[in-house]
Amino acid sequence: MLFSSFGSMKVFKFGGASVKDSSAVRNVSGILSMFHGEKIAVVVSAMGKTTNKLEEIVAAEQRHDKKTFDALVDDLYAFHLEIMADLFQERHYAAYNAVEEIFEILRARFNQPFPENIDFEYDQIVSLGELLSTQIISAFLNEQGHATRWADSRQLIRTDNRYREGNVDWKKTEELIRERLIPAFEHNDILVTQGFIGATGEGFTTTLGREGSDYTAGILAYCTDAESVTIWKDVPGMLNADPKHFENTVKLDQISFREAIELSYYGASVIHPKTVKPLQNKGIPLYVKSFLQPEAEGTVIQESTANDHLIPSFIVMKNQVLFSINRRDFSFIVEEHLSDIFKRLASLGVKINLMQNSALNFSILADRSKTDPKKVIEQFTDNYEVRYNEGLELVTIRHYDALTLAMLSEGKETLVEQRTRQTARLVLKEKTL
Ligand code: ASP
Ligand code: MG
């Protein structure tokens, strides 16, 4: 047992929306008060839309656009300073110094020659959002009487040097976490650390991919054999559809790890897809709860599949393009053609959302925003004819029933339909009058 001296611990993750201003940060402190005396690793994202801002800052730096760079940095600085002014009665010198220092690092980057590897530069800058948020929040929690310590996730999470999408070195990470994070709980109840970031063996900061803070929570839980992970969100739990696009969504009370992985594979954006697997491996339950109603049940993701079928869930991906590929000589599409087709698509970096074949045709569906039809046609022009149809949507329904199918395809033309026992997928086109 890892926690012989004080039992087990929990991992909480607070995303950008849950720390977007000073009252949100106060709310986080309130939630932690409900768990007084427990050992909790708190993983925090950058505040509000900070990560997007930092991405713009990298772009301005790359363009050598000093004016925009300065204006964006000033804005971000004012944003964080205002939150601190609201949170701290008196000037909290340690927090202010830490924040000043991070902004100095940010400003100084403009004067360095822009590195050849833009992803490297991206990670050095974009990671600062989480460093800012955790400095402010851990200082505030301490002031509120929580025994809190700030922990640097670059000392805990080791990745390779694939910047912008670091791959975790699990063995080393587990070692670092056992050596550094777990002992720190002896004298603290709460350790606040950054989501989304890690470091290479040489000590350069990396990021784990956008929205990667959930993944950080999963990594920490796996490596500490945590009792549970809770992701605090602005929705009551995992819903059966995206509430931004559908009314009358239903909360899923309990689903299996498998189901959560399937849903995120098909494009549900509630949980970062890499998060669930490590938790499943160790049977660590994952709670999704509302930071606005922390007492409410939320969703629990766990081993049992018993409840998965109770409610149909659906995921809609808009702006899809359907390519239909056939041989110029009208020969059958056989295995060697398929492997040739995949090779060509891979060379273009096309990500296939769905595929289907018939005797003479091979069809694939992709995101239009990431796929240029002209390039696809060009790539195939020697031996194949390619046609395409855009403005489509892909609907995936898990545990479908007739009612849900009818509701989602109403008024639309179905171009492709695929069904397995648990999943129906429809490619739909708005009917034109
Ligand atoms: N701050 C990062 C992002 O917005 C990571 C996260 O929030 O999970 O992508
Ligand atoms: Mg975020």
Side-chain angles (χ1 to χ4, degrees):
M1 191 64 212
L2 277 169
F3 283 87
S4 45
S5 55
F6 49 80
S8 189
M9 55 163 285
K10 293 184 163 83
V11 178
F12 283 2
K13 181 260 178 172
F14 290 96
S18 66
V19 293
K20 70 176 195 307
D21 53 27
S22 58
S23 64
V25 174
R26 283 181 201 283
N27 184 55
V28 167
S29 174
I31 290 175
L32 289 169
S33 300
M34 295 167 49
F35 298 87
H36 187 77
E38 295 198 47
K39 304 288 183 187
I40 304 175
V42 176
V43 174
V44 184
S45 298
M47 295 173 139
K49 299 271 175 247
T50 297
T51 307
N52 293 351
K53 264 269 159 64
L54 288 165
E55 285 188 342
E56 289 174 41
I57 289 173
V58 182
E61 188 201 347
Q62 198 186 11
R63 294 194 308 270
H64 298 288
D65 179 350
K66 177 87 172 128
K67 219 174 128 208
T68 309
F69 180 91
D70 285 345
L72 288 166
V73 174
D74 288 348
D75 243 29
L76 200 61
Y77 182 68
F79 170 71
H80 284 91
L81 242 55
E82 191 186 324
I83 292 177
M84 287 209 284
D86 280 350
L87 288 176
F88 302 115
Q89 296 282 324
E90 273 163 53
R91 220 175 146 84
H92 187 297
Y93 284 100
Y96 274 87
N97 285 344
V99 166
E100 287 298 340
E101 215 173 282
I102 294 165
F103 275 98
E104 265 163 42
I105 292 170
L106 177 55
R107 291 207 159 90
R109 293 215 76 93
F110 195 88
N111 302 322
Q112 300 171 2
F114 197 89
E116 227 165 86
N117 183 351
I118 168 161
D119 293 339
F120 171 84
E121 188 61 13
Y122 176 96
D123 282 1
Q124 308 319 301
I125 289 187
V126 169
S127 58
L128 299 176
E130 270 71 10
L131 291 169
L132 288 166
S133 65
T134 51
Q135 287 289 359
I136 296 169
I137 290 162
S138 94
F140 179 70
L141 293 178
N142 253 319
E143 273 210 352
Q144 297 296 300
H146 302 286
T148 305
R149 207 174 110 182
W150 181 84
D152 188 340
S153 61
R154 295 166 302 182
Q155 307 276 328
L156 302 171
I157 293 177
R158 173 67 55 84
T159 69
D160 63 4
N161 59 4
R162 178 140 180 242
Y163 293 99
R164 231 178 147 141
E165 189 101 37
N167 293 301
V168 173
D169 175 344
W170 283 93
K171 200 165 156 273
K172 190 69 198 168
T173 299
E174 196 160 3
E175 214 177 283
L176 293 170
I177 287 175
R178 287 180 185 214
E179 243 167 54
R180 295 172 176 173
L181 187 80
I182 293 174
F185 273 115
E186 289 288 346
H187 304 288
N188 299 279
D189 289 337
I190 293 172
L191 297 179
V192 171
T193 196
Q194 308 77 42
F196 177 56
I197 73 181
T200 66
E202 300 81 50
F204 289 113
T205 306
T206 51
T207 65
L208 306 175
R210 282 303 305 264
E211 306 302 326
S213 293
D214 290 355
Y215 186 35
T216 304
I219 297 167
L220 294 186
Y222 179 92
C223 294
T224 55
D225 286 331
E227 162 194 327
S228 63
V229 173
T230 306
I231 297 182
W232 297 92
K233 294 189 71 86
D234 56 1
V235 286
M238 267 189 84
L239 304 175
N240 73 326
D242 187 343
K244 283 190 212 102
H245 298 115
F246 292 95
E247 289 166 22
N248 308 324
T249 52
V250 183
K251 179 171 75 75
L252 308 170
D253 295 336
Q254 187 192 64
I255 61 167
S256 67
F257 292 120
R258 239 200 97 165
E259 184 67 16
I261 291 170
E262 294 278 357
L263 289 171
S264 71
Y265 171 78
Y266 289 121
S269 60
V270 183
I271 296 165
H272 188 276
K274 284 180 179 168
T275 308
V276 180
K277 197 70 205 155
L279 301 178
Q280 179 183 29
N281 286 349
K282 288 212 173 165
I284 299 169
L286 170 60
Y287 296 90
V288 181
K289 282 169 166 272
S290 161
F291 59 75
L292 302 167
Q293 285 175 286
E295 274 105 6
E297 282 276 313
T299 298
V300 57
I301 300 166
Q302 41 68 68
E303 195 55 51
S304 163
T305 56
N307 288 344
D308 288 352
H309 66 283
L310 295 180
I311 297 167
S313 289
F314 43 93
I315 300 133
V316 179
M317 292 166 87
K318 298 211 183 269
N319 198 15
Q320 300 291 301
V321 51
L322 184 68
F323 293 98
S324 172
I325 304 169
N326 58 263
R327 300 281 299 170
R328 285 203 182 275
D329 60 9
F330 290 101
S331 56
F332 286 163
I333 298 280
V334 295
E335 285 75 3
E336 64 179 285
H337 301 142
L338 288 175
S339 95
D340 178 40
I341 290 170
F342 284 130
K343 227 180 271 153
R344 293 177 192 231
L345 290 170
S347 80
L348 289 174
V350 172
K351 226 191 122 273
I352 301 173
N353 291 333
L354 173 139
M355 56 193 171
Q356 174 129 320
N357 64 319
S358 68
L360 298 176
N361 255 308
F362 187 66
S363 303
I364 65 134
L365 189 76
D367 286 326
R368 175 64 180 86
S369 62
K370 296 177 198 148
T371 321
D372 182 355
K374 268 202 226 101
K375 290 211 174 112
V376 176
I377 291 170
E378 218 175 86
Q379 179 67 239
F380 282 91
T381 188
D382 52 350
N383 289 322
Y384 301 84
E385 190 179 71
V386 177
R387 283 161 298 139
Y388 69 94
N389 200 336
E390 41 187 344
L392 309 178
E393 64 180 41
L394 170 61
V395 179
T396 303
I397 311 162
R398 291 279 295 166
H399 312 287
Y400 58 90
D401 56 19
L403 208 69
T404 315
L405 283 168
M407 187 265 288
L408 290 166
S409 57
E410 200 199 322
K412 289 171 184 161
E413 185 187 347
T414 304
L415 302 189
V416 181
E417 176 164 356
Q418 294 181 345
R419 291 192 201 194
T420 61
R421 238 168 0 128
Q422 275 149 4
T423 311
R425 308 193 80 194
L426 310 175
V427 179
L428 301 172
K429 189 184 178 77
E430 212 72 56
K431 268 194 193 139
T432 41
L433 300 172

